[in-house]
Amino acid sequence: MTEHEYALINGVNRSKVGRYIAAVAGGLAALLVFLFLLIVNLAGFLGWNVNLPPTILSLAVTGSIYFGLYWLFDRFAWRWRWLSRLIGVPDLSGEWSCNGQTTDADGSVTYEWVATVSIVQTWDKVRVRLKTEQSGSNSINAALIHDSVDGYRLIYNYRNDPRPGEPELRTHHGFAELTFNDDLRSAEGNYFNGHGRYTFGRMQLTRK
């Protein structure tokens, strides 16, 4: 399984971020082209022959700067604490310890389990991987919600596959919703399984 795109709700629109990066790239490109043309003029004054169409140069420089800036933003810049708060997208990536409880309809605990949750996240994509001694699951799609009252919520669907030698378990799909504390050190939420295993319960996550 690989990372997949995720929806942003109440955060900064991704298209706006793209426009901001494009504007910065255009400004930097204009400055670099201006400096390059000064060098070309100087070279011509010295009798050197430099022949590069300014239009092609401008397009090449702008495109290169844009892709470079977007790559830096996607991989690193959005994680900066002040920028993360500004755009409303928290950095949830890393390893989390998970304590889970399977419950019945009246909320009574019927089974307790532990797991490790690995979250891989960039600006564009995310993957939530949960592993227990009996099975493992991977997120299929996800949404990240910035709630001004409750904090950040991660909602995702997943596919769970049992490990070999677990005859009582079957491949199934499910849904989970996690609410993270402001310090992004812990989270809690609920999960619901279906299409192969009809169980539900609670989860508590603590960042390792």
Side-chain angles (χ1 to χ4, degrees):
M1 298 291 290
T2 60
E3 295 81 38
H4 52 82
E5 295 181 349
Y6 62 100
L8 290 177
I9 302 176
N10 295 336
V12 172
N13 189 286
R14 283 196 173 96
S15 63
K16 288 185 178 180
V17 172
R19 289 196 293 270
Y20 295 150
I21 294 176
V24 174
L28 290 175
L31 177 61
L32 290 177
V33 171
F34 174 75
L35 293 175
F36 181 80
L37 292 177
L38 285 180
I39 295 174
V40 169
N41 290 334
L42 178 60
F45 178 77
L46 296 176
W48 300 342
N49 185 20
V50 179
N51 185 18
L52 184 62
T55 301
I56 296 178
L57 175 65
S58 178
L59 291 175
V61 171
T62 302
S64 299
I65 293 177
Y66 176 83
F67 284 112
L69 289 177
Y70 195 90
W71 183 85
L72 289 173
F73 184 87
D74 180 54
R75 296 292 175 176
F76 305 106
W78 72 273
R79 302 178 191 274
W80 299 340
R81 184 177 297 273
W82 66 272
L83 187 55
S84 175
R85 291 185 178 276
L86 179 64
I87 62 179
V89 181
D91 181 9
L92 306 179
S93 59
E95 299 286 322
W96 301 75
S97 297
C98 175
N99 292 309
Q101 296 177 331
T102 301
T103 62
D104 56 21
D106 64 5
S108 300
V109 177
T110 60
Y111 179 69
E112 294 187 353
W113 48 273
V114 295
T116 297
V117 176
S118 303
I119 301 179
V120 179
Q121 183 187 8
T122 65
W123 165 247
D124 281 335
K125 296 183 178 182
V126 71
R127 178 190 178 191
V128 183
R129 170 68 168 162
L130 183 147
K131 292 191 294 184
T132 69
E133 292 183 353
Q134 293 79 32
S135 65
S137 67
N138 284 285
S139 60
I140 301 171
N141 52 59
L144 189 57
I145 303 173
H146 181 204
D147 191 313
S148 59
V149 176
D150 295 330
Y152 295 107
R153 285 189 292 154
L154 177 64
I155 300 173
Y156 66 96
N157 290 93
Y158 56 83
R159 172 190 168 99
N160 183 283
D161 294 298
R163 295 178 184 270
E166 297 290 341
E168 296 183 359
L169 299 180
R170 299 192 324 185
T171 296
H172 58 274
H173 291 78
F175 167 90
E177 179 175 353
L178 297 168
T179 300
F180 291 80
N181 288 351
D182 289 339
D183 60 3
L184 303 180
R185 302 299 303 176
S186 60
E188 60 182 12
N190 303 303
Y191 71 92
F192 307 88
N193 290 321
H195 299 287
R197 189 183 187 194
Y198 297 95
T199 57
F200 53 90
R202 299 188 291 267
M203 293 189 298
Q204 292 183 329
L205 273 64
T206 303
R207 190 187 288 272
K208 290 186 177 181

